[in-house]
Amino acid sequence: MSTIPGPDGQPRCRWCAAAPEFFDYHDREWGYPVADDVRLFEKLCLESFQSGLSWRTILAKRENFRAAFAGFDFNKVAEFDERDVQRLLADAGIVRHRGKIEAVINNAKRAQELVATEGSLAAYFWRFEAPGGHEPQSMSTSAESEALSKALKKQGWKFVGPTTVFAFMQAMGLINDHVENCVVRSKVADARAGFSKP
């Protein structure tokens, strides 16, 4: 629950200490509310790739993932076939895990279906916004992440367990999980307060 000083001397969430590049990600992205469907899809995919690995590994390869998966445009990824799977399995710039690669392609198709019925991924995901009420970073799942995970699995999504979904919700601003003394927490709170839910 404690903080560490950032490059400017101001307190940041302690997990930033794991890698120098985490400070920028923490300050600019983590926890800010997102309504863009492509960004939401990308993050859910990257969290699924992170399962069993470190976020540092995934963050370092993020641009490679974007290049490999057509910028995570799920309308394009949904058209990927076995040749694309083989191409991706040969791409040393990403995590070469057949199950996770195939899950992204599957999930792109499920994303199209969800957009067709709900209007957007954002409109659907934001129904599961967490109200808070727990000590930040004290949990790895929540009632909301378990509900969203269960709902997505029922629709055929893969590699979307409650821990993966909780990390997605933390990162995409569906909950403000910056610790109380973190200098970014109030900025994220302001962003959430001014955010118009889709």
Side-chain angles (χ1 to χ4, degrees), residues 38-129:
V38 171
R39 280 193 62 198
L40 291 165
F41 181 72
E42 173 188 288
K43 184 59 176 173
L44 197 52
C45 292
L46 292 179
E47 289 293 350
S48 72
F49 270 106
Q50 194 229 317
S51 180
L53 301 170
S54 74
W55 176 242
R56 185 179 192 180
T57 298
I58 303 303
L59 187 60
K61 295 175 179 286
R62 182 163 63 169
E63 291 305 322
N64 297 335
F65 275 109
R66 287 171 172 167
F69 283 97
F72 287 100
D73 179 336
F74 49 85
N75 289 312
K76 294 178 180 178
V77 177
E79 300 298 320
F80 282 15
D81 57 20
E82 179 58 29
R83 288 170 298 180
D84 291 292
V85 173
Q86 293 302 320
R87 169 180 62 80
L88 293 162
L89 285 169
D91 188 341
I94 66 168
V95 174
R96 294 178 286 182
H97 183 294
R98 176 180 280 274
K100 293 177 180 180
I101 289 169
E102 291 178 343
V104 170
I105 299 169
N106 168 77
N107 292 350
K109 296 172 183 176
R110 304 292 80 79
Q112 288 182 315
E113 294 166 359
L114 195 55
V115 169
T117 58
E118 305 294 336
S120 70
L121 297 183
Y124 186 75
F125 290 151
W126 275 94
R127 289 186 206 157
F128 295 84
E129 179 185 6

